[in-house]
Amino acid sequence: MLEIRDLHTVVDGKPILRGVDLEIVAGEVHAVMGPNGSGKSTLAYVLSGREGYHADSGEVLYDGQMLLELTPEERARAGLFLAFQYPVEIPGVPNATFLRTAVNAVRLARGEEELSAMAFLKEARAKLKQLQMDESFLNRQVNVGFSGGEKKRNEILQMAMLEPRLAVLDETDSGLDIDALKIVADGINRLRSAGRAMLVITHYQRLLDYIVPDKVHVLAEGRIVRSGGKELAVELEKKGYAEFSSAA
Amino acid sequence: MGASKHTSDVYVDRFDEIRDRLPGAGLPWLKNLRSGAIERFADCGLPNSRVEEWKYTNLSRILDPQPVLAGPSINGVHRASLKQYYLDPTPCHRMVFVNSYYRPDLSDTGVLPAGLTLCSLETALADRPELLEAHWGILHDLSEDRLSGKNDLKPHAMIALNTAFAAGGAVIHLDHNVSLDGPIHLIYLTTLEGERPAMSHPRTLVVAEAGAHATIFETFIGNGGDAHCCNALTQVAVGPGARVCHYKHQGEAPNGAHIGSSHICLAKNSTYNGFVLSDGALVSRNEIRVRLEGENVDCSLDGIYLARGNQHMDNWTRIDHMAPLGKSREVYKGVIDGAAHGSFQGKIRVWPEAIQSDARQLNKNLLLSDRAEASSKPELEILTDDVQCAHGSTVGDLDGETLFYLRSRGVGETAARNLLIDAFVGEVIDNLADVPVRKYFRNLFNHWLSEAT
Amino acid sequence: MSVSVETVKSVEAATGGEYKYGFYTDIESELAPKGLNEDIVRFISAKKGEPEWLLDWRLKAFRLWLSSAAEEPAWANVRYSPIDFQDAYYYAAPKQAEAPKSLEEVDPALLETYEKLGIPLKEQEILAGVAIDAVFDSVSVATTFKGKLAELGIIFCPISEAVKTHPELVKKYLGSVVPVADNFYATLNSAVFSDGSFVYVPKGVRCPMELSTYFRINTAETGQFERTLIVADVGSHVSYLEGCTAPMRSEHQLHAAVVELVALDDAEIKYSTVQNWYPGDKEGRGGIYNFVTKRGACRGRNSKISWTQVETGSAITWKYPSVILQGDHSTGEFYSVAITNNYQQADTGTKMIHIGRNTSSTIISKGISAGHGQQTYRGLVRILGKADNARNYTQCDSLLIGEKCGGHTVPYIEVKNQTAKVEHEATTSKISDDQLFYCRQRGLSDEDAVALIVNGFCREVFQKLPMEFAVEAQKLLGISLEGAIG
């Protein structure tokens, strides 16, 4: 589904990604782990098309398409979803409006009917319940005044509503206490399916206790320096990243 | 209109009398500058409240219709009467000016480090006229350019008047990377000229070349209960990467008038920290213009005005962000008691080139009496989109609930009020970087507060 | 209440993103001779069959306007070439044998015009719950629901009619809030005002429906000078809406209206405007000069006046809907959204003059500038010496889209009472890249993302509009920002 080949990225004049190779097939969950500053978030931004994060060389194939040639919204409409490490506040815009606008934009792009207000509300309520979120979430302004945990749950709610094919979860566990982490992980696990791939970016192994990955990659100094099964995460937790930092 | 025209005629006549006796009268450029300035002043007349920039200040209330120009007389000023204004610990360099004229007998300039020029205007005109020519000329064509496309000279009439008449003041020049250990303290005292209240026009120039670092402290005072008028102009040029801390105390005599303008030009990567405290004069106006001309400039501009009785204090500031990445912070706080009037007009303009400017401006006013009056006009003119700008303004009394809380804990009413006023003003004073200066203003404010009725 | 993608799309489809009210109705008009002099003032007065006192009032205003006492204001942040006041028609009216007594008699071409503007005037199709006075160039062509309102004692009619039917009310209140000598354009309006609405709500009556005036400039080279007067008697309540459009023309047209509101004890007036005069084309050619004086007087104790405006049209806007808070415990409000795109300029805001005790005012202003648009918020909050416990809260936010536009904030705060509490806050910024990227990552196009974020930015104000207007306002916002991005 996703194929990253020799991806190089320079941000603010500094090389951050220095030849990343990664392949994910549908149905799999991959974890990318690495120390701070290793380029994990940069990878997420390059995949989603954030301004200032361009590939200087290399390519990314997404379902056979050249991903990097698409605008951010084209990527989103093609089923790529980024759960933000720091979800953005949009004052004055109710969550429901935002979600419905996004869902219908994506549905239209897929050639599906737009959801009516009623149908949308019904679906949103069902997802809210699964994520143990109060219905008042829909009326609140997008992420404004949300606690850290609420913001992360809101990301998962959006993901559940948008039904992406590839979800990139950027440090979704950061800032969550253990209860919130369980709820968020539950939400994510419920979305695991044969047609959907996930790329879980995390510094700590903690999240991977709940979202068990099929593969684990270590990103250090802009490269995938090691790949393995889920046991690699446990090993990293014990030993830390020290050995990778000096490797390059 | 007729009346103000008449007033400006008086100044033109005075100018004709003294033009050949002014220092540097033989310099052609200066001659042109002065005659151009008096012509402009004659065209404009004294600014009145119909000039937007002078909306809140009525000069006719205070200016003598037959002004007496101060001359270089001795006036019996003694060191003892100045001591209370000295910084503690004493600075390396102190210059005292009476009616704008330098008085070496009252000054202690100390040992000047290499790379520092510190002298009177008269000396500088004789020794380094090119320095003055370069900087005085900058203000020559000053006019207010409005967004409606109109240009207006009127707001700058008093600056023109200073340019025409300035006969004394200080000139400070710091060579590249010169850094001073302590503040330079300039004391300007305006007093009687013979029997009559005098008008003085002190002029200060501070030039800090690249990488230099200086603290300049200007004190403006009057003698006893004299009515007098000080029309001061200070220019500060801060070179690339240089840093200037610039403090001013407007503490003129109770019947005096103070019209002060400061023009500050900031080159790239420079830092400017300005602070003004006003507690003197019957009518005062402090005008400060700061231009962030180079990239990545860091500027702060703070002010305190303490007004009581029939005092009128006008604070007028303008900050021009003219290059990318400039940062400015401005906090002005007024405490207004009695039948006094405090006003603040502050404009921030972000020019089209000045992307990623970050400007914040705040004006807060405390009204302590039922006859006190506050006017506030914070203003933003933003001509490009990639900016972060904000301003705020408040006017109000001390918070009743907080007062009650303090009193319910046994604090007397006056003490409780003073505590809250102190908290309001103190946060600005206590954040000043230079210790002697901070102490000076702290003492001043404590004294002001203790005089409250 | 939201703009979803389909709304934006359907609006775009319906309008092609252009000014959709730019058509011209080909109807025979009666014009006064071009230019402005005493004869023209007399001509207008005679056309309206006015009594002597009103003609005198006009002439007094006209003479004042000619004298140097009336000076064209130069302080606003707007630039335009001088207006030739002699090069315009000051009276234009669709030709009709006689004033229509009922809607059946109204020229079908006019009804069709309003139909096209989305303002059906035929009673059976009329918007439920909204009574409309339709003003076409200088005259009112139809007023709906008059009968039903009359049953409650509410007078809602063209001001030219009120002069004849209720002269005592008009005489008492006309010019009492905006005096003849108030400012250059108000003086001009006093001399040549054409038509406008008059509303009187009697004691204790809550007006059961929204009253609305729809202004249309049709004829070329005419100025429109309407005059609106609303009086809410003791304990009454009225909500009034105003809309306006004009054809697309390459020359500028002047609109200099005066609106006066009077609220007596315990009365409340809510005045909403969606101003959509032709803004000119993308290069700044043509468009309306909108120089308007709007002021309300809270004369009575506990009275309330609330202005809500959505300003999307006009080449130049110069207006400051204000409230004079005379009555103790009276309340003034100003909620504004203003958009300037392409070469539009707006200098707009409000004045809140606190005179009575325990008066309070709220100002919420949201300015959006795009293209080469220049916008200024200009406001005055004045607390006079006797206005004990006055309160004001002001929030002004400017959103800038594009590096060529400007957003300016000029508040004046003047306080002469110790017990006052006045608070002003303002911010200026662009739409954050983070917000845009977040929306796009969820599948929204650039333009939809901007419309969504801007709508959120304006939400506080839109919430104050009556429902029908709120929907209209949101659509307008999307259209006004067309082409602002990328």
Side-chain angles (χ1 to χ4, degrees):
Chain A
M1 173 182 284
L2 183 76
E3 218 181 317
I4 304 173
R5 292 189 198 133
D6 195 27
L7 184 64
H8 288 255
T9 296
V10 175
V11 181
D12 287 335
K14 252 176 69 185
I16 304 293
L17 299 183
R18 304 197 292 186
V20 173
D21 293 283
L22 189 65
E23 194 177 344
I24 306 177
V25 295
E28 284 186 354
V29 172
H30 287 221
V32 171
M33 302 182 69
N36 291 329
S38 59
K40 301 193 299 292
S41 286
T42 299
L43 179 61
Y45 289 147
V46 173
L47 290 178
S48 54
R50 187 182 187 119
E51 207 168 320
Y53 293 84
H54 305 290
D56 291 276
S57 63
E59 59 182 14
V60 179
L61 288 174
Y62 171 71
D63 278 344
Q65 259 181 306
M66 301 292 275
L67 184 72
L68 302 178
E69 287 169 9
L70 305 179
T71 63
E73 60 268 32
E74 285 167 342
R75 298 181 203 197
R77 289 168 190 175
L80 187 145
F81 180 91
L82 170 64
F84 285 58
Q85 184 180 2
Y86 305 107
V88 178
E89 299 182 4
I90 310 178
V93 177
N95 229 352
T97 305
F98 178 67
L99 258 179
R100 188 165 160 234
T101 313
V103 166
N104 282 338
V106 171
R107 289 179 70 100
L108 271 180
R110 283 190 206 141
E112 294 170 10
E113 288 267 307
E114 291 192 21
L115 279 184
S116 71
M118 287 306 291
F120 167 80
L121 212 59
K122 202 174 150 204
E123 202 174 325
R125 282 187 179 138
K127 308 279 190 204
L128 278 167
K129 213 167 166 189
Q130 288 174 0
L131 287 162
Q132 304 184 28
M133 288 162 79
D134 193 83
E135 245 185 66
S136 63
F137 253 82
L138 290 177
N139 299 322
R140 290 168 66 183
Q141 301 175 19
V142 179
N143 293 326
V144 176
F146 282 30
S147 72
E150 284 177 333
K151 282 184 179 169
K152 292 298 167 78
R153 273 191 275 172
N154 202 18
E155 293 294 285
I156 305 308
L157 171 69
Q158 292 175 26
M159 176 169 143
M161 292 296 296
L162 291 170
E163 299 177 332
R165 301 214 37 213
L166 172 66
V168 180
L169 306 164
D170 188 8
E171 304 274 4
T172 295
D173 53 329
S174 71
L176 294 184
D177 63 33
I178 191 71
D179 293 329
L181 181 67
K182 275 184 189 158
I183 294 166
V184 167
D186 271 0
I188 295 169
N189 284 328
R190 204 171 285 122
L191 292 170
R192 287 178 84 149
S193 73
R196 183 172 291 145
M198 292 190 191
L199 184 61
V200 180
I201 291 172
T202 181
H203 183 82
Y204 300 105
Q205 178 258 348
R206 186 174 79 142
L207 180 66
L208 305 181
D209 287 342
Y210 300 94
I211 306 168
V212 181
D214 299 300
K215 277 199 179 121
V216 175
H217 310 275
V218 180
L219 184 67
E221 295 177 345
R223 285 193 199 95
I224 303 282
V225 290
R226 216 175 130 189
S227 298
K230 61 186 179 226
E231 64 290 340
L232 178 56
V234 183
E235 186 190 326
L236 281 171
E237 186 74 3
K238 281 189 194 133
K239 293 197 201 157
Y241 294 108
E243 69 172 286
F244 301 108
S245 300
S246 54
Chain B
M1 283 304 270
S4 80
K5 184 72 191 159
H6 175 75
T7 320
S8 62
D9 285 348
V10 176
Y11 290 96
V12 175
D13 294 345
R14 291 279 185 281
F15 181 74
D16 286 336
E17 289 162 23
I18 63 153
R19 61 195 309 164
D20 295 330
R21 282 180 280 139
L22 289 167
L27 296 165
W29 66 266
L30 188 53
K31 209 173 158 182
N32 289 338
L33 196 70
R34 282 173 174 153
S35 52
I38 195 71
E39 275 169 34
R40 259 202 318 285
F41 175 77
D43 283 347
C44 298
L46 287 169
N48 58 29
S49 57
R50 286 175 61 185
V51 178
E52 178 66 21
E53 285 73 10
W54 289 78
K55 195 177 161 55
Y56 295 116
T57 296
N58 185 0
L59 280 182
S60 64
R61 176 179 159 197
I62 189 75
L63 287 190
D64 192 333
Q66 294 294 325
V68 177
L69 276 181
S73 53
I74 295 302
N75 291 315
V77 178
H78 302 291
R79 274 181 179 257
S81 61
L82 297 171
K83 276 230 165 81
Q84 58 172 314
Y85 298 103
Y86 287 1
L87 289 173
D88 173 34
T90 311
C92 320
H93 323 285
R94 182 190 316 115
M95 291 176 91
V96 176
F97 303 81
V98 176
N99 288 346
S100 87
Y101 296 94
Y102 180 48
R103 289 283 297 272
D105 58 313
L106 302 173
S107 304
D108 298 284
T109 49
V111 180
L112 303 186
L116 170 67
T117 304
L118 176 69
C119 64
S120 70
L121 179 62
E122 301 91 311
T123 307
L125 280 170
D127 296 353
R128 299 188 68 175
E130 75 293 344
L131 183 66
L132 289 161
E133 185 177 4
H135 288 93
W136 280 29
I138 292 172
L139 301 183
H140 189 65
D141 296 317
L142 210 55
S143 74
E144 206 58 45
D145 55 325
R146 309 203 188 282
L147 291 180
S148 58
K150 298 179 178 68
N151 277 296
D152 190 355
L153 295 167
K154 285 201 178 83
H156 305 285
M158 296 309 285
I159 290 164
L161 198 62
N162 178 288
T163 300
F165 285 104
V171 174
I172 300 166
H173 181 266
L174 289 105
D175 271 345
H176 294 255
N177 299 322
V178 172
S179 183
L180 301 183
D181 295 334
I184 294 173
H185 192 189
L186 308 173
I187 299 179
Y188 288 101
L189 184 138
T190 306
T191 182
L192 298 178
E193 173 72 21
E195 301 287 302
R196 293 281 308 275
M199 185 170 195
S200 72
H201 300 273
R203 181 116 180 180
T204 308
L205 175 65
V206 179
V207 180
E209 301 288 357
H213 176 196
T215 296
I216 313 293
F217 184 28
E218 296 179 282
T219 296
F220 290 89
I221 49 175
N223 220 4
D226 289 354
H228 60 262
C229 177
C230 177
N231 177 37
L233 180 53
T234 300
Q235 275 179 276
V236 182
V238 186
R243 175 169 178 215
V244 170
C245 295
H246 183 197
Y247 305 96
K248 173 173 172 178
H249 170 213
Q250 185 282 103
E252 306 274 5
N255 292 320
H258 180 88
I259 302 149
S261 301
S262 298
H263 285 250
I264 291 109
C265 291
L266 304 173
K268 66 175 184 199
N269 301 322
S270 65
T271 303
Y272 175 80
N273 301 114
F275 173 79
V276 182
L277 185 144
S278 298
D279 68 339
L282 186 59
V283 173
S284 66
R285 176 180 159 95
N286 267 308
E287 175 177 314
I288 302 177
R289 293 168 174 271
V290 186
R291 295 154 67 94
L292 283 66
E293 294 181 342
E295 286 189 22
N296 199 32
V297 169
D298 192 341
C299 162
S300 71
L301 198 58
D302 296 329
I304 301 282
Y305 41 109
L306 309 169
R308 59 164 62 114
N310 287 314
Q311 281 182 306
H312 173 96
M313 291 185 183
D314 187 359
N315 299 277
W316 193 97
T317 70
R318 172 160 176 168
I319 298 176
D320 279 277
H321 282 258
M322 305 173 79
L325 296 162
K327 178 179 160 188
S328 67
R329 292 287 179 271
E330 184 176 12
V331 178
Y332 265 72
K333 290 189 173 186
V335 182
I336 306 155
D337 204 347
H341 182 189
S343 68
F344 171 81
Q345 283 196 75
K347 184 189 282 188
I348 292 174
R349 180 186 280 182
V350 177
W351 293 72
E353 305 75 27
I355 52 165
Q356 294 182 28
S357 289
D358 177 351
R360 254 139 247 259
Q361 179 190 57
L362 180 65
N363 174 228
K364 289 181 133 188
N365 295 280
L366 258 187
L367 293 181
L368 295 181
S369 129
D370 55 3
R371 290 172 302 151
E373 183 179 346
S375 308
S376 176
K377 186 191 167 198
E379 188 175 347
L380 297 174
E381 285 183 0
I382 313 296
L383 295 160
T384 188
D385 65 333
D386 192 3
V387 298
Q388 288 291 333
C389 299
H391 71 203
S393 172
T394 63
V395 181
D397 196 358
L398 292 170
D399 182 49
E401 209 162 310
T402 318
L403 264 181
F404 174 72
Y405 181 77
L406 286 168
R407 294 174 70 187
S408 75
R409 295 293 179 269
V411 183
E413 187 178 355
T414 309
R417 290 177 70 87
N418 285 353
L419 204 66
L420 295 181
I421 298 167
D422 196 320
F424 180 78
V425 170
E427 77 172 357
V428 182
I429 293 177
D430 297 339
N431 275 326
L432 297 175
D434 292 82
V435 177
V437 176
R438 195 193 310 155
K439 263 164 83 177
Y440 178 101
F441 284 120
R442 203 359 121 176
N443 291 338
L444 201 74
F445 173 62
N446 289 348
H447 181 69
W448 187 86
L449 205 54
S450 71
E451 281 187 324
T453 43
Chain C
M1 295 278 264
S2 62
V3 168
S4 62
V5 171
E6 75 266 31
T7 323
V8 174
K9 285 278 169 341
S10 63
V11 170
E12 279 172 17
T15 64
E18 292 276 314
Y19 185 71
K20 75 167 167 177
Y21 310 100
F23 64 89
Y24 162 71
T25 308
D26 192 6
I27 190 166
E28 206 182 337
S29 288
E30 180 177 16
L31 292 166
K34 223 178 196 180
L36 184 54
N37 52 47
E38 284 205 13
D39 289 342
I40 296 291
V41 176
R42 287 176 200 280
F43 175 92
I44 295 168
S45 187
K47 270 285 155 204
K48 308 256 170 203
E50 286 174 356
E52 193 71 19
W53 67 265
L54 192 51
L55 175 62
D56 289 347
W57 195 77
R58 286 178 182 273
L59 288 172
K60 200 182 103 194
F62 180 68
R63 286 165 198 153
L64 181 69
W65 184 75
L66 282 183
S67 78
S68 60
E71 213 178 317
E72 208 174 333
W75 41 261
N77 284 342
V78 292
R79 297 179 184 215
Y80 55 93
S81 27
I83 299 170
D84 182 354
F85 290 95
Q86 295 305 333
D87 190 30
Y89 296 103
Y90 286 80
Y91 183 84
K95 243 185 197 157
Q96 278 177 333
E98 244 172 77
K101 289 190 184 60
S102 70
L103 283 164
E104 282 70 48
E105 292 178 23
V106 174
D107 188 331
L110 286 174
L111 293 180
E112 199 189 311
T113 300
Y114 283 91
E115 200 83 36
K116 262 169 103 174
L117 295 169
I119 317 284
L121 295 176
K122 293 177 205 144
E123 298 256 358
Q124 64 273 25
E125 294 167 16
I126 267 169
L127 297 164
V130 183
I132 294 171
D133 183 17
V135 177
F136 192 84
D137 288 334
S138 304
V139 294
S140 169
V141 293
T143 310
T144 64
F145 283 121
K146 263 163 100 171
K148 191 166 176 201
L149 293 167
E151 284 169 26
L152 292 162
I154 298 169
I155 306 163
F156 178 44
C157 65
I159 199 158
S160 55
E161 185 183 320
V163 168
K164 292 172 198 154
T165 54
H166 301 89
E168 71 298 339
L169 283 173
V170 177
K171 216 169 167 174
K172 183 170 177 188
Y173 291 109
L174 187 72
S176 77
V177 186
V178 178
V180 168
D182 193 78
N183 69 73
F184 184 80
Y185 296 111
T187 307
L188 176 63
N189 175 287
S190 302
V192 301
F193 76 86
S194 38
D195 221 334
S197 299
F198 175 78
V199 177
Y200 172 78
V201 189
K203 273 182 194 163
V205 173
R206 261 190 99 83
C207 186
M209 57 179 77
E210 308 276 353
L211 303 184
S212 169
T213 303
Y214 196 89
F215 294 99
R216 172 78 178 166
I217 298 178
N218 188 62
T219 311
E221 296 177 78
T222 52
Q224 178 151 320
F225 305 91
E226 85 267 6
R227 183 117 196 166
T228 296
L229 175 58
I230 299 176
V231 179
D233 211 327
V234 175
S236 68
H237 179 288
V238 62
S239 172
Y240 180 92
L241 319 173
E242 174 196 67
C244 23
T245 56
M248 292 159 74
R249 296 187 190 287
S250 58
E251 82 273 19
H252 296 291
Q253 283 175 283
L254 178 61
H255 171 249
V258 171
V259 176
E260 296 178 282
L261 313 181
V262 178
L264 303 183
D265 285 358
D266 299 306
E268 183 176 341
I269 302 173
K270 187 174 163 57
Y271 193 108
S272 312
T273 306
V274 172
Q275 185 267 102
N276 188 25
W277 295 116
Y278 177 54
D281 67 11
K282 285 194 162 60
E283 274 75 47
R285 282 184 298 251
I288 302 291
Y289 289 168
N290 189 36
F291 300 154
V292 171
T293 306
K294 291 182 169 182
R295 196 174 303 153
C298 280
R299 296 248 163 95
R301 201 186 145 78
N302 220 16
S303 54
K304 180 175 175 183
I305 289 178
S306 179
W307 297 101
T308 305
Q309 62 171 20
V310 176
E311 302 280 317
T312 63
S314 297
I316 299 178
T317 295
W318 179 98
K319 81 182 250 206
Y320 314 91
S322 305
V323 185
I324 301 169
L325 297 144
Q326 290 165 289
D328 291 350
H329 298 275
S330 58
T331 305
E333 294 176 340
F334 175 75
Y335 299 100
S336 170
V337 165
I339 299 173
T340 46
N341 195 3
N342 299 320
Y343 284 86
Q344 282 177 281
Q345 306 175 55
D347 193 303
T348 183
T350 184
K351 290 192 256 186
M352 293 289 174
I353 313 293
H354 292 251
I355 300 171
R357 293 183 172 81
N358 300 306
T359 48
S360 69
S361 60
T362 305
I363 299 170
I364 307 286
S365 164
K366 305 281 179 178
I368 299 126
S369 239
H372 291 80
Q374 291 290 333
Q375 187 169 140
T376 302
Y377 166 83
R378 190 181 299 277
L380 169 66
V381 174
R382 179 177 284 155
I383 314 281
L384 297 184
K386 298 219 164 79
D388 290 344
N389 300 312
R391 297 285 177 268
N392 165 267
Y393 175 73
T394 302
Q395 174 76 48
C396 295
D397 296 314
S398 303
L399 197 62
L400 304 177
I401 304 172
E403 59 187 19
K404 298 265 192 300
C405 65
H408 320 299
T409 316
V410 191
Y412 294 73
I413 299 154
E414 298 175 2
V415 182
K416 293 189 181 185
N417 187 301
Q418 184 189 7
T419 59
K421 259 200 172 57
V422 178
E423 236 178 297
H424 168 100
E425 288 174 46
T427 63
T428 306
S429 56
K430 65 171 190 169
I431 293 181
S432 91
D433 292 339
D434 285 346
Q435 287 177 346
L436 273 179
F437 175 62
Y438 193 64
C439 290
R440 294 178 72 192
Q441 210 303 305
R442 296 301 182 253
L444 276 66
S445 71
D446 249 354
E447 287 210 338
D448 291 345
V450 169
L452 187 87
I453 293 165
V454 172
N455 260 301
F457 175 75
C458 300
R459 185 174 146 93
E460 265 176 287
V461 175
F462 285 164
Q463 281 175 334
K464 298 292 171 184
L465 285 170
M467 187 62 111
E468 300 81 4
F469 261 34
V471 174
E472 176 77 12
Q474 293 189 338
K475 286 185 198 166
L476 266 179
L477 191 111
I479 297 166
S480 302
L481 288 172
E482 275 286 304
I485 302 299

